[in-house]
Amino acid sequence: MPALQGARERARAEVTSAIKEEARRRLAEEGAAKLSLRAVARELGMVSSALYRYFPSRDDLLTALIIDAYNSLGEAAERARTTAPAGHPVARWLAVCRAIRAWARAHPHEYALIYGSPVPGYQAPQDTTAPASRTALALLAVLQEAGEEGLLAEPPASAPAVAQDVERLLERLDIELSVSATAAFAAAWAQLFGLVSFELFGQYDGVIEARDEFFDQAAAGLARAIGLRVHDAPAA
Amino acid sequence: MPALQGARERARAEVTSAIKEEARRRLAEEGAAKLSLRAVARELGMVSSALYRYFPSRDDLLTALIIDAYNSLGEAAERARTTAPAGHPVARWLAVCRAIRAWARAHPHEYALIYGSPVPGYQAPQDTTAPASRTALALLAVLQEAGEEGLLAEPPASAPAVAQDVERLLERLDIELSVSATAAFAAAWAQLFGLVSFELFGQYDGVIEARDEFFDQAAAGLARAIGLRVHDAPAA
DNA sequence: TCAAAAGCAAGAGCAGTGCTCTCGTTTTTG
DNA sequence: CAAAAACGAGAGCACTGCTCTTGCTTTTGA
């Protein structure tokens, strides 16, 4: 697979990314529901039928945007983890959580695209699962580090069926982590996005206004639920 | 305000609910994105322009469906609370949580309509806030009972800004509950719907398959995070 | 080298959408 | 019982996703 061999392939790649760029711009302005292929084509100075050479349907364009959004969020999460000061794992956990929330607030429509109601058919295409897991893996990496440092307490044991799911998952991902901690994480993972979604989708309007402080203490609570402990703070 | 005084008003009410009924049917089948006024009118044997006498726009129809969905879910939550055996508050908490999840699984598109990405403009109309709070109030009622029974431990204290929000909320709702417990609940509330959304929107596909057991233990974890304790189970 | 094949932009066109306006008809109101 | 309001039907506008055909350009392979 040569890198952009012919002039035609290069042109195609450029047009493809120009379409995605313009679509992302319109998505950010008006939301996924109002994203129209014709408007994108019009803005790019091409006729609408030409766009179908690059994306066979509107849903395919949306799927491409979904994948990009997952990757963008995953990248932000990974960056937050690696650039966070190597202090307590709890601090790194909080840093990644904050990065996720910050990304969501900066890209509300893209966030809605990936964590709101599934817009196309009903189930996400297979191509989206890998990018979608990046964010979760960044969070899991924090836990793994904490486990290696011995800063991970053991949460309550899981039901056998859940434990089986989690064991299969740990094996597939090749991760060293206790079953109960991973099960607790799977819950915290969804709960974290519940917090972000509620804030972004207006469920907290008129209820909680101190958003930053509230999120921070909720994220700290999630860390506690998973078993993350600050080892030199025995008092509470 | 007389109850359905003239024949015309009665007819109007009937047509209005027939429209909503048909719209709900199509919503359940194809989702909000594909819900079309014309199709609803066609199915009802009326011409599309006539429908505008009852709902001034598509978004208004959707808003009506949103309000109905909030009420339907809220009713399910309230019913679960009141019909649950008067055992431990933790059991009542779990019963309400289960009822919420069951409703969501039974009405996925309606759930997506209210807890997925906001479909119309961007912010929910004012009329939706009251029905939207019913579900949260049902959960809060469980906590209040637990507090009266002395089965509510004190979660970690909140940041001052959050405490202020919560105090204002408690005053407005006229509820007797500690500030820290209410703050913890506000987080658990969003986290609960995060769990449901992840399951419904396919985020758990291939990850967690033992959905019932997983949800139950996650909901129990939320109860723990709020401070709900089973008083005659001191061991852990 | 040069014809065949493939990729491409453009346009016309189809079925469908939300929404508006007009025009008779019916029902309610004062 | 006349004026006013509400209503259903139809035509029409601007828009959408998508398909098909028509020429042109680039790439391919013998």
Side-chain angles (χ1 to χ4, degrees):
Chain A
M1 43 195 78
L4 302 184
Q5 50 175 17
R8 188 152 224 169
E9 284 196 26
R10 190 165 54 243
R12 183 177 178 84
E14 272 176 22
V15 174
T16 302
S17 75
I19 291 172
K20 285 205 288 186
E21 208 171 308
E22 177 61 33
R24 201 160 17 237
R25 197 173 305 131
R26 300 197 68 85
L27 171 68
E29 279 175 13
E30 320 207 56
K34 293 190 179 175
L35 185 136
S36 115
L37 281 188
R38 294 182 104 113
V40 170
R42 203 180 305 130
E43 209 73 20
L44 259 50
M46 56 169 69
V47 83
S48 73
S49 60
L51 212 149
Y52 283 83
R53 300 252 170 215
Y54 300 88
F55 296 94
S57 80
R58 197 191 102 112
D59 279 5
D60 288 275
L61 214 199
L62 277 179
T63 301
L65 294 183
I66 287 175
I67 292 174
D68 286 3
Y70 273 128
N71 277 319
S72 172
L73 171 60
E75 208 172 308
E78 288 164 8
R79 190 168 42 239
R81 186 182 76 86
T82 54
T83 68
H88 294 303
V90 174
R92 282 202 296 278
W93 167 267
L94 198 60
V96 178
C97 289
R98 279 177 171 160
I100 290 171
R101 172 170 176 260
W103 185 94
R105 287 163 58 101
H107 311 86
H109 283 113
E110 289 182 69
Y111 177 86
L113 197 60
I114 56 183
Y115 287 107
S117 357
V119 183
Y122 203 142
Q123 52 192 356
Q126 202 62 23
D127 325 352
T128 67
T129 57
S133 56
R134 284 181 64 176
T135 307
L137 287 177
L139 289 164
L140 265 174
V142 174
L143 295 192
Q144 191 170 14
E145 287 172 6
E148 288 165 2
E149 300 177 34
L151 293 175
L152 199 51
E154 202 64 357
S158 286
V162 175
Q164 200 171 338
D165 283 347
V166 169
E167 279 167 12
R168 190 164 36 81
L169 183 69
L170 286 173
E171 193 173 347
R172 175 154 48 107
L173 299 179
D174 198 28
I175 287 182
E176 285 290 327
L177 207 59
S178 83
V179 168
S180 59
T182 308
F185 166 76
W189 175 43
Q191 290 169 6
L192 174 66
F193 283 93
L195 290 167
V196 175
S197 294
F198 258 44
E199 176 180 350
L200 235 68
F201 296 164
Q203 226 82 31
Y204 276 147
D205 289 3
V207 180
I208 301 289
E209 299 295 350
R211 304 282 162 85
D212 294 352
E213 295 89 337
F214 179 77
F215 179 82
D216 277 5
Q217 72 188 39
L222 289 178
R224 217 175 304 130
I226 298 170
L228 269 181
R229 299 267 181 260
V230 194
H231 79 291
D232 58 353
Chain B
M1 44 196 75
L4 302 184
Q5 51 174 17
R8 187 152 226 169
E9 284 196 25
R10 188 165 54 244
R12 183 176 179 84
E14 271 175 23
V15 174
T16 302
S17 75
I19 291 172
K20 286 204 290 186
E21 207 171 309
E22 178 60 35
R24 202 164 12 242
R25 197 172 305 131
R26 301 197 69 84
L27 171 68
E29 278 175 15
E30 320 207 55
K34 294 192 180 175
L35 186 139
S36 118
L37 281 189
R38 294 181 106 113
V40 170
R42 205 180 303 129
E43 209 72 20
L44 259 52
M46 56 168 74
V47 83
S48 72
S49 60
L51 211 150
Y52 283 83
R53 302 255 173 213
Y54 300 88
F55 295 94
S57 79
R58 196 191 102 113
D59 279 5
D60 288 276
L61 213 199
L62 277 178
T63 301
L65 294 183
I66 287 174
I67 292 175
D68 285 2
Y70 273 129
N71 277 320
S72 171
L73 171 60
E75 208 172 309
E78 288 164 7
R79 190 169 41 241
R81 186 182 77 84
T82 54
T83 68
H88 292 305
V90 174
R92 283 203 295 278
W93 168 267
L94 198 60
V96 178
C97 289
R98 279 177 171 161
I100 290 171
R101 172 169 175 260
W103 186 93
R105 287 163 57 102
H107 311 87
H109 283 114
E110 289 182 69
Y111 177 86
L113 197 58
I114 55 183
Y115 288 106
S117 356
V119 182
Y122 203 146
Q123 51 192 357
Q126 201 63 22
D127 325 351
T128 66
T129 57
S133 57
R134 285 180 64 175
T135 307
L137 287 176
L139 289 165
L140 265 174
V142 174
L143 296 192
Q144 191 170 12
E145 287 173 5
E148 289 166 0
E149 299 178 34
L151 295 176
L152 199 51
E154 200 67 355
S158 287
V162 174
Q164 200 170 337
D165 283 347
V166 170
E167 278 166 12
R168 191 164 36 82
L169 183 69
L170 286 174
E171 194 172 346
R172 176 155 46 107
L173 298 180
D174 197 29
I175 287 183
E176 286 289 328
L177 207 58
S178 84
V179 168
S180 59
T182 309
F185 165 76
W189 176 42
Q191 291 169 5
L192 174 66
F193 283 92
L195 290 166
V196 176
S197 293
F198 259 44
E199 175 179 349
L200 235 68
F201 296 164
Q203 227 81 30
Y204 276 147
D205 290 2
V207 181
I208 301 288
E209 300 295 350
R211 303 281 162 86
D212 294 351
E213 295 90 337
F214 179 78
F215 180 82
D216 277 5
Q217 73 188 39
L222 289 178
R224 217 175 304 129
I226 298 171
L228 269 181
R229 298 268 181 259
V230 193
H231 79 292
D232 58 353

